[in-house]
Amino acid sequence: MRQRYSFHLDQGGHSVTVNVRSGWITETELLVDGKECDFHRVHGHGDYPLTLTAQVAEEPPRPPRPLAVRLDRTGRAEHPLACVLELSGAEHPMPERTAR
């Protein structure tokens, strides 16, 4: 049976979402402002910790800013994964939301 997890945070004027679908194959996608920016697929129930990376676009003449999201196991049955957004040198925990 597949399990689904979703994490979302609006930060710095950008929307960041991480969706995880686990089962025989685990797929993890990183969306920034609704666009897929990174994707990871592995056989089994996931390979953690896992870091996905992207860039957020800024208004010219400023260059894009890099971001990373880090997923890791929590050891808790109710919320088995935790997700943290790293942006501009700061870490922001991403709350879990109901997956669609």
Side-chain angles (χ1 to χ4, degrees):
M1 182 164 105
R2 289 183 70 86
Q3 296 178 337
R4 295 177 182 255
Y5 306 95
S6 184
F7 302 89
H8 179 81
L9 187 64
D10 291 322
Q11 185 67 35
H14 298 281
S15 170
V16 180
T17 304
V18 176
N19 294 313
V20 180
R21 291 175 299 279
S22 69
W24 179 251
I25 295 174
T26 298
E27 298 174 328
T28 307
E29 67 179 348
L30 169 60
L31 304 165
V32 177
D33 296 330
K35 296 179 184 173
E36 185 178 289
C37 294
D38 202 355
F39 183 83
H40 182 263
R41 176 182 288 151
V42 65
H43 287 278
H45 292 287
D47 189 19
Y48 300 101
L50 173 65
T51 301
L52 300 174
T53 60
Q55 293 184 339
V56 291
E58 297 294 340
E59 294 294 322
R62 295 174 51 188
R65 289 186 294 160
L67 70 80
V69 293
R70 191 176 63 246
L71 285 151
D72 207 351
R73 295 191 191 279
T74 65
R76 298 186 325 238
E78 187 174 311
H79 299 284
L81 294 177
C83 188
V84 175
L85 168 66
E86 299 172 6
L87 180 64
S88 299
E91 292 187 353
H92 309 276
M94 294 181 67
E96 187 175 352
R97 67 180 187 176
T98 304
R100 296 174 220 204

